[in-house]
Amino acid sequence: MDNSNLYRRRRGQEEETGEDKYRMLRQILNILFMLGAIVGVIVYLKYGRDLGTIIILVSMAFKLAECVFRLLK
């Protein structure tokens, strides 16, 4: 049985029919989210709950934007 058009796609591999035009933007938003979350936790533990919580919430907004672009793919 020769099903040459059936294959398992690996993670990070682009589809042949289309490419992810938001990939670079999503990666930048993910980096901003991760950095914001780390800084937010450090600020939360060292300097105060209010400021740390605000920083973490702002970084979550970056993650939400990244998810929107992932859905638009």
Side-chain angles (χ1 to χ4, degrees):
M1 210 170 167
D2 184 25
N3 291 330
S4 61
N5 58 352
L6 296 177
Y7 65 95
R8 184 175 181 157
R9 217 173 59 139
R10 296 187 187 269
R11 174 179 255 189
Q13 208 177 22
E14 300 299 330
E15 293 182 15
E16 290 180 19
T17 58
E19 59 185 50
D20 186 7
K21 58 185 172 182
Y22 298 114
R23 184 177 178 139
M24 182 61 76
L25 179 60
R26 286 180 36 227
Q27 288 178 345
I28 292 169
L29 289 172
N30 269 330
I31 290 170
L32 290 174
F33 164 70
M34 289 186 281
L35 291 176
I38 291 169
V39 169
V41 168
I42 292 171
V43 169
Y44 182 88
L45 294 175
K46 281 202 169 212
Y47 300 111
R49 295 178 67 179
D50 294 336
L51 183 59
T53 302
I54 292 170
I55 294 172
I56 291 171
L57 288 174
V58 169
S59 70
M60 288 175 65
F62 288 121
K63 186 62 177 179
L64 181 65
E66 186 270 332
C67 289
V68 168
F69 284 115
R70 188 182 322 151
L71 291 175
L72 290 176
K73 175 183 173 183

Coordinates of all heavy atoms in Angstrom, one line a residue:
M1 N 0.8 -1.2 0.0 CA 0.0 0.0 0.0 C 0.9 1.2 0.0 O 1.6 1.5 1.0 CB -0.9 0.0 1.2 CG -2.2 0.6 1.1 SD -3.2 0.3 2.5 CE -4.4 1.4 2.2
D2 N 0.9 2.0 -1.1 CA 1.7 3.1 -1.2 C 0.9 4.4 -1.0 O 0.2 4.8 -1.9 CB 2.4 3.1 -2.5 CG 3.4 4.3 -2.7 OD1 3.9 4.8 -1.6 OD2 3.7 4.7 -3.8
N3 N 1.0 5.0 0.1 CA 0.3 6.3 0.4 C 1.3 7.4 0.5 O 1.7 7.8 1.6 CB -0.6 6.2 1.7 CG -1.8 5.3 1.5 OD1 -2.3 5.2 0.4 ND2 -2.2 4.7 2.6
S4 N 1.9 7.8 -0.6 CA 3.0 8.7 -0.5 C 2.6 10.1 -0.1 O 3.4 10.9 0.3 CB 3.7 8.8 -1.9 OG 2.7 9.3 -2.9
N5 N 1.3 10.4 -0.1 CA 0.9 11.8 0.3 C 0.6 11.8 1.8 O 0.2 12.8 2.4 CB -0.3 12.3 -0.5 CG -1.5 11.3 -0.4 OD1 -1.4 10.2 0.1 ND2 -2.6 11.8 -0.9
L6 N 0.7 10.7 2.5 CA 0.5 10.6 3.9 C 1.8 10.6 4.6 O 2.6 9.7 4.4 CB -0.3 9.4 4.3 CG -1.8 9.3 3.8 CD1 -2.4 8.0 4.2 CD2 -2.6 10.4 4.3
Y7 N 2.0 11.5 5.5 CA 3.3 11.6 6.3 C 3.0 12.3 7.6 O 2.0 13.0 7.7 CB 4.4 12.2 5.5 CG 4.1 13.7 5.3 CD1 4.6 14.7 6.1 CD2 3.4 14.2 4.2 CE1 4.4 16.0 5.9 CE2 3.1 15.5 4.0 CZ 3.7 16.4 4.8 OH 3.4 17.8 4.6
R8 N 3.8 12.0 8.5 CA 3.7 12.6 9.9 C 4.5 13.9 9.9 O 5.7 13.9 9.6 CB 4.2 11.7 10.9 CG 4.0 12.2 12.3 CD 4.4 11.2 13.3 NE 4.2 11.7 14.6 CZ 4.0 11.0 15.7 NH1 4.0 9.7 15.6 NH2 3.8 11.6 16.9
R9 N 3.8 15.0 10.2 CA 4.5 16.3 10.2 C 5.2 16.4 11.6 O 4.7 16.1 12.6 CB 3.5 17.4 10.1 CG 4.0 18.6 9.3 CD 2.8 19.5 9.1 NE 2.3 20.0 10.4 CZ 2.0 21.2 10.7 NH1 2.1 22.1 9.8 NH2 1.5 21.5 11.9
R10 N 6.4 16.9 11.5 CA 7.2 17.1 12.8 C 7.0 18.5 13.3 O 6.6 19.4 12.5 CB 8.7 16.9 12.5 CG 9.0 15.4 12.1 CD 10.5 15.2 12.0 NE 10.8 14.0 11.5 CZ 11.0 12.9 12.3 NH1 10.9 12.9 13.6 NH2 11.3 11.7 11.7
R11 N 7.2 18.7 14.6 CA 7.0 20.0 15.2 C 8.0 21.0 14.6 O 9.1 20.7 14.3 CB 7.3 19.9 16.7 CG 7.3 21.2 17.4 CD 7.5 21.0 18.8 NE 6.2 21.2 19.4 CZ 6.0 21.3 20.7 NH1 7.0 21.2 21.5 NH2 4.9 21.5 21.2
G12 N 7.5 22.2 14.2 CA 8.3 23.2 13.6 C 8.4 23.1 12.1 O 8.9 24.0 11.5
Q13 N 7.8 22.1 11.6 CA 7.8 21.9 10.1 C 6.6 22.7 9.5 O 5.5 22.5 10.0 CB 7.7 20.4 9.8 CG 8.4 20.0 8.5 CD 8.3 18.5 8.4 OE1 7.4 17.9 9.0 NE2 9.1 17.9 7.6
E14 N 6.9 23.4 8.5 CA 5.8 24.2 7.9 C 5.0 23.3 6.9 O 5.5 22.4 6.4 CB 6.4 25.4 7.1 CG 7.2 26.4 7.9 CD 6.3 27.0 9.0 OE1 5.1 27.2 8.8 OE2 6.9 27.3 10.0
E15 N 3.7 23.6 6.8 CA 2.9 22.9 5.8 C 3.3 23.3 4.4 O 3.8 24.4 4.2 CB 1.4 23.2 6.0 CG 0.9 22.7 7.3 CD -0.6 23.0 7.4 OE1 -1.2 23.4 6.4 OE2 -1.1 22.9 8.6
E16 N 3.2 22.3 3.5 CA 3.5 22.6 2.1 C 2.6 23.7 1.5 O 3.0 24.4 0.6 CB 3.5 21.3 1.3 CG 4.7 20.4 1.7 CD 4.6 19.1 0.8 OE1 4.0 19.1 -0.2 OE2 5.2 18.2 1.3
T17 N 1.3 23.7 1.9 CA 0.4 24.5 1.2 C 0.5 26.0 1.7 O 0.2 26.9 0.9 CB -1.1 24.0 1.5 OG1 -1.3 24.0 2.9 CG2 -1.3 22.7 0.9
G18 N 0.9 26.2 2.9 CA 1.0 27.6 3.4 C 2.1 27.7 4.5 O 2.5 26.7 5.1
E19 N 2.5 28.9 4.7 CA 3.5 29.1 5.7 C 2.9 30.0 6.8 O 2.0 30.7 6.6 CB 4.8 29.7 5.1 CG 4.5 31.0 4.4 CD 5.8 31.5 3.7 OE1 6.4 30.7 3.0 OE2 6.2 32.6 3.9
D20 N 3.5 30.0 8.0 CA 3.1 30.8 9.1 C 3.7 32.2 9.0 O 4.8 32.4 9.3 CB 3.5 30.1 10.4 CG 2.9 30.8 11.6 OD1 2.1 31.7 11.4 OD2 3.3 30.4 12.7
K21 N 2.9 33.1 8.5 CA 3.4 34.5 8.3 C 3.6 35.3 9.6 O 4.2 36.3 9.6 CB 2.5 35.3 7.4 CG 1.0 35.4 7.8 CD 0.2 36.0 6.7 CE -1.3 35.9 7.1 NZ -2.1 36.5 6.1
Y22 N 3.0 34.7 10.7 CA 3.2 35.4 12.0 C 4.2 34.7 12.9 O 4.3 35.1 14.1 CB 1.8 35.4 12.8 CG 0.7 36.1 12.0 CD1 -0.4 35.4 11.5 CD2 0.8 37.5 11.8 CE1 -1.4 36.1 10.9 CE2 -0.2 38.1 11.2 CZ -1.3 37.4 10.7 OH -2.3 38.1 10.0
R23 N 5.0 33.8 12.4 CA 5.9 33.1 13.3 C 6.9 34.0 14.0 O 7.1 33.8 15.2 CB 6.6 32.0 12.4 CG 7.5 31.2 13.2 CD 8.2 30.1 12.4 NE 9.1 29.4 13.3 CZ 9.2 28.1 13.2 NH1 8.6 27.4 12.4 NH2 10.1 27.5 14.0
M24 N 7.5 34.9 13.3 CA 8.5 35.7 13.9 C 7.9 36.6 15.0 O 8.4 36.8 16.1 CB 9.2 36.6 12.9 CG 10.3 37.5 13.5 SD 11.7 36.6 14.3 CE 12.5 36.0 12.9
L25 N 6.7 37.2 14.7 CA 6.0 38.0 15.6 C 5.6 37.2 16.9 O 5.7 37.7 18.0 CB 4.8 38.6 15.0 CG 3.9 39.5 15.9 CD1 4.7 40.7 16.4 CD2 2.6 39.9 15.1
R26 N 5.2 36.0 16.7 CA 4.8 35.1 17.8 C 6.0 34.8 18.7 O 5.9 34.7 19.9 CB 4.2 33.8 17.3 CG 2.8 34.0 16.7 CD 2.1 32.8 16.2 NE 2.5 31.6 17.0 CZ 2.9 30.4 16.4 NH1 2.9 30.3 15.1 NH2 3.2 29.4 17.1
Q27 N 7.1 34.6 18.0 CA 8.3 34.3 18.8 C 8.8 35.5 19.7 O 9.1 35.3 20.8 CB 9.5 33.8 17.9 CG 9.3 32.5 17.3 CD 10.4 32.1 16.4 OE1 11.2 32.9 15.9 NE2 10.5 30.8 16.1
I28 N 8.7 36.7 19.1 CA 9.0 37.9 19.8 C 8.0 38.1 21.0 O 8.4 38.4 22.1 CB 9.0 39.1 18.9 CG1 10.1 39.0 17.9 CG2 9.1 40.4 19.7 CD1 10.1 40.0 16.8
L29 N 6.7 37.9 20.8 CA 5.8 38.0 21.8 C 6.0 36.9 22.9 O 5.8 37.2 24.1 CB 4.3 37.9 21.3 CG 3.9 39.1 20.5 CD1 2.5 38.7 19.8 CD2 3.7 40.3 21.3
N30 N 6.4 35.7 22.6 CA 6.7 34.7 23.5 C 7.9 35.1 24.4 O 7.9 34.8 25.6 CB 6.9 33.3 22.9 CG 5.7 32.5 22.8 OD1 4.8 32.6 23.6 ND2 5.6 31.7 21.7
I31 N 8.9 35.6 23.8 CA 10.1 36.1 24.5 C 9.8 37.2 25.5 O 10.2 37.1 26.6 CB 11.2 36.5 23.5 CG1 11.8 35.3 22.8 CG2 12.3 37.2 24.3 CD1 12.7 35.6 21.6
L32 N 8.9 38.1 25.0 CA 8.5 39.2 25.9 C 7.7 38.7 27.1 O 7.8 39.1 28.2 CB 7.7 40.3 25.2 CG 8.5 41.1 24.2 CD1 7.5 42.0 23.4 CD2 9.5 42.0 24.9
F33 N 6.9 37.7 26.8 CA 6.1 37.1 27.9 C 7.0 36.4 28.9 O 6.8 36.6 30.1 CB 5.1 36.1 27.3 CG 4.5 35.1 28.3 CD1 3.6 35.6 29.3 CD2 4.9 33.8 28.3 CE1 3.1 34.7 30.2 CE2 4.4 32.9 29.2 CZ 3.5 33.3 30.2
M34 N 7.9 35.6 28.4 CA 8.8 34.9 29.4 C 9.6 35.8 30.2 O 9.8 35.6 31.4 CB 9.7 33.9 28.6 CG 8.9 32.7 28.0 SD 9.9 31.5 27.3 CE 10.3 32.2 25.7
L35 N 10.2 36.8 29.6 CA 11.0 37.8 30.3 C 10.2 38.6 31.3 O 10.6 38.8 32.5 CB 11.7 38.8 29.4 CG 12.8 38.2 28.5 CD1 13.3 39.3 27.5 CD2 13.9 37.7 29.3
G36 N 9.0 39.0 30.9 CA 8.1 39.7 31.8 C 7.6 38.8 33.0 O 7.5 39.3 34.1
A37 N 7.4 37.6 32.7 CA 7.0 36.7 33.8 C 8.1 36.5 34.8 O 7.9 36.5 36.0 CB 6.6 35.3 33.3
I38 N 9.3 36.3 34.3 CA 10.5 36.1 35.2 C 10.7 37.4 36.0 O 10.9 37.4 37.3 CB 11.8 35.7 34.4 CG1 11.6 34.3 33.9 CG2 13.0 35.8 35.3 CD1 12.6 34.0 32.8
V39 N 10.7 38.6 35.4 CA 10.9 39.8 36.1 C 9.8 40.1 37.1 O 10.0 40.5 38.2 CB 11.1 41.0 35.1 CG1 11.0 42.3 35.8 CG2 12.3 40.9 34.3
G40 N 8.6 39.7 36.7 CA 7.4 39.9 37.5 C 7.5 39.1 38.8 O 7.2 39.6 39.9
V41 N 8.0 37.9 38.7 CA 8.1 37.0 39.9 C 9.2 37.5 40.8 O 9.1 37.6 42.0 CB 8.4 35.5 39.5 CG1 8.8 34.7 40.6 CG2 7.2 34.9 38.8
I42 N 10.3 38.0 40.2 CA 11.4 38.5 41.0 C 10.9 39.8 41.7 O 11.2 39.9 42.9 CB 12.6 38.8 40.1 CG1 13.3 37.5 39.6 CG2 13.7 39.6 40.9 CD1 14.3 37.7 38.6
V43 N 10.3 40.7 41.0 CA 9.8 41.9 41.7 C 8.7 41.6 42.7 O 8.7 42.1 43.8 CB 9.2 42.9 40.6 CG1 8.4 44.0 41.2 CG2 10.3 43.4 39.7
Y44 N 7.9 40.6 42.4 CA 6.8 40.2 43.4 C 7.5 39.7 44.7 O 7.0 40.0 45.8 CB 6.0 39.1 42.8 CG 4.9 38.5 43.6 CD1 3.6 39.1 43.6 CD2 5.0 37.5 44.5 CE1 2.6 38.7 44.3 CE2 4.0 37.0 45.2 CZ 2.8 37.6 45.2 OH 1.7 37.1 45.9
L45 N 8.5 38.9 44.6 CA 9.2 38.3 45.8 C 10.0 39.3 46.5 O 10.2 39.2 47.7 CB 10.0 37.1 45.4 CG 9.1 35.9 44.9 CD1 10.1 34.8 44.4 CD2 8.2 35.4 45.9
K46 N 10.7 40.2 45.8 CA 11.7 41.1 46.5 C 11.1 42.4 46.9 O 11.4 43.0 47.9 CB 12.9 41.3 45.5 CG 13.8 40.2 45.5 CD 15.2 40.7 45.1 CE 16.2 39.6 45.3 NZ 17.5 40.1 45.6
Y47 N 10.3 43.0 46.0 CA 9.9 44.4 46.2 C 8.4 44.7 46.6 O 8.1 45.6 47.3 CB 10.2 45.3 45.0 CG 11.7 45.2 44.6 CD1 12.1 44.6 43.5 CD2 12.6 45.8 45.5 CE1 13.5 44.5 43.2 CE2 14.0 45.8 45.2 CZ 14.4 45.1 44.1 OH 15.7 45.0 43.8
G48 N 7.5 43.9 46.1 CA 6.2 44.1 46.5 C 5.2 43.3 45.7 O 5.4 43.1 44.5
R49 N 4.1 43.0 46.3 CA 3.0 42.2 45.6 C 2.4 43.0 44.5 O 2.1 42.5 43.4 CB 2.0 41.7 46.6 CG 2.6 40.8 47.6 CD 1.6 40.4 48.6 NE 0.5 39.6 47.9 CZ -0.5 39.0 48.5 NH1 -0.7 39.2 49.8 NH2 -1.4 38.3 47.8
D50 N 2.1 44.3 44.7 CA 1.3 45.1 43.7 C 2.1 45.3 42.4 O 1.5 45.0 41.4 CB 0.9 46.4 44.3 CG 0.0 46.3 45.5 OD1 -0.8 45.3 45.6 OD2 -0.1 47.2 46.3
L51 N 3.3 45.7 42.5 CA 4.1 46.0 41.3 C 4.4 44.7 40.6 O 4.3 44.6 39.3 CB 5.4 46.7 41.7 CG 6.2 47.1 40.5 CD1 5.5 48.0 39.5 CD2 7.5 47.8 41.0
G52 N 4.7 43.6 41.3 CA 5.0 42.3 40.7 C 3.7 41.8 40.0 O 3.8 41.2 38.9
T53 N 2.6 41.9 40.6 CA 1.3 41.5 39.9 C 1.0 42.2 38.7 O 0.6 41.7 37.7 CB 0.1 41.6 40.9 OG1 0.4 40.9 42.1 CG2 -1.1 41.1 40.3
I54 N 1.3 43.5 38.7 CA 1.0 44.3 37.5 C 2.0 43.9 36.3 O 1.5 43.8 35.2 CB 1.2 45.8 37.8 CG1 0.1 46.3 38.7 CG2 1.3 46.7 36.5 CD1 0.3 47.7 39.3
I55 N 3.2 43.7 36.7 CA 4.2 43.2 35.6 C 3.8 41.9 35.1 O 3.8 41.7 33.8 CB 5.6 43.2 36.2 CG1 6.1 44.6 36.6 CG2 6.6 42.5 35.2 CD1 7.4 44.7 37.3
I56 N 3.4 41.0 35.9 CA 2.9 39.7 35.4 C 1.7 39.8 34.6 O 1.6 39.1 33.5 CB 2.7 38.7 36.6 CG1 4.0 38.4 37.3 CG2 2.0 37.4 36.2 CD1 3.9 37.6 38.6
L57 N 0.7 40.6 34.9 CA -0.5 40.8 34.1 C -0.2 41.4 32.8 O -0.8 41.0 31.8 CB -1.5 41.7 34.9 CG -2.2 41.0 36.1 CD1 -3.0 42.0 36.8 CD2 -3.0 39.8 35.6
V58 N 0.8 42.3 32.7 CA 1.2 42.9 31.4 C 1.8 41.8 30.6 O 1.6 41.8 29.3 CB 2.1 44.1 31.6 CG1 2.7 44.6 30.3 CG2 1.3 45.3 32.3
S59 N 2.7 41.0 31.2 CA 3.3 39.9 30.4 C 2.3 38.9 29.9 O 2.4 38.3 28.8 CB 4.4 39.2 31.2 OG 3.9 38.5 32.2
M60 N 1.2 38.7 30.7 CA 0.1 37.8 30.2 C -0.6 38.4 29.0 O -1.1 37.7 28.2 CB -0.8 37.5 31.4 CG -0.3 36.6 32.4 SD -1.4 36.4 33.8 CE -2.7 35.6 33.1
A61 N -0.7 39.7 28.9 CA -1.3 40.3 27.7 C -0.5 40.0 26.5 O -1.1 39.8 25.4 CB -1.4 41.9 27.9
F62 N 0.9 39.9 26.6 CA 1.7 39.5 25.4 C 1.4 38.1 25.0 O 1.3 37.8 23.9 CB 3.2 39.6 25.8 CG 3.7 41.1 25.8 CD1 4.2 41.6 27.0 CD2 3.6 41.9 24.7 CE1 4.7 42.9 27.1 CE2 4.0 43.2 24.8 CZ 4.6 43.7 25.9
K63 N 1.2 37.2 26.0 CA 0.8 35.8 25.7 C -0.5 35.7 25.1 O -0.7 34.9 24.1 CB 0.9 35.0 27.0 CG 0.7 33.5 26.8 CD 1.8 33.0 25.9 CE 1.7 31.5 25.7 NZ 2.7 30.9 24.9
L64 N -1.5 36.5 25.5 CA -2.8 36.5 24.9 C -2.7 37.0 23.4 O -3.4 36.4 22.6 CB -3.7 37.4 25.7 CG -5.2 37.5 25.2 CD1 -5.9 36.2 25.3 CD2 -5.9 38.6 26.0
A65 N -1.9 38.0 23.2 CA -1.8 38.4 21.8 C -1.1 37.4 20.9 O -1.5 37.1 19.8 CB -0.9 39.7 21.8
E66 N -0.2 36.6 21.5 CA 0.5 35.5 20.8 C -0.5 34.4 20.4 O -0.5 33.9 19.3 CB 1.6 35.0 21.6 CG 2.5 33.9 20.9 CD 2.0 32.5 21.0 OE1 1.3 32.2 22.1 OE2 2.2 31.7 20.1
C67 N -1.4 34.2 21.4 CA -2.4 33.1 21.1 C -3.4 33.6 20.0 O -3.8 32.7 19.2 CB -3.2 32.8 22.4 SG -2.3 32.0 23.6
V68 N -3.7 34.9 20.0 CA -4.6 35.4 18.9 C -3.9 35.2 17.5 O -4.6 34.7 16.6 CB -4.9 36.8 19.1 CG1 -5.6 37.5 17.9 CG2 -5.8 37.0 20.3
F69 N -2.6 35.5 17.4 CA -1.9 35.3 16.2 C -1.8 33.8 15.8 O -1.8 33.4 14.6 CB -0.5 35.9 16.2 CG -0.6 37.4 16.1 CD1 -0.2 38.2 17.1 CD2 -1.0 38.0 14.9 CE1 -0.2 39.6 17.0 CE2 -1.1 39.4 14.8 CZ -0.7 40.2 15.8
R70 N -1.7 32.9 16.8 CA -1.7 31.5 16.5 C -3.0 31.0 16.0 O -3.0 30.2 15.1 CB -1.4 30.7 17.8 CG -1.1 29.3 17.6 CD -0.9 28.4 18.8 NE -0.1 29.1 19.8 CZ -0.2 28.9 21.1 NH1 -1.0 28.0 21.5 NH2 0.6 29.5 21.9
L71 N -4.1 31.6 16.5 CA -5.4 31.2 15.9 C -5.6 31.7 14.5 O -6.3 31.1 13.7 CB -6.5 31.7 16.9 CG -6.6 31.0 18.2 CD1 -7.6 31.7 19.1 CD2 -7.0 29.5 18.0
L72 N -5.0 32.9 14.2 CA -5.1 33.5 12.9 C -4.4 32.7 11.8 O -4.6 32.9 10.6 CB -4.7 34.9 12.9 CG -5.6 35.9 13.6 CD1 -4.9 37.3 13.6 CD2 -7.0 35.9 13.0
K73 N -3.5 31.9 12.2 CA -2.6 31.1 11.3 C -3.5 30.3 10.4 O -3.4 30.2 9.3 CB -1.7 30.2 12.1 CG -0.9 29.2 11.3 CD -0.1 28.3 12.2 CE 0.6 27.3 11.4 NZ 1.3 26.3 12.2

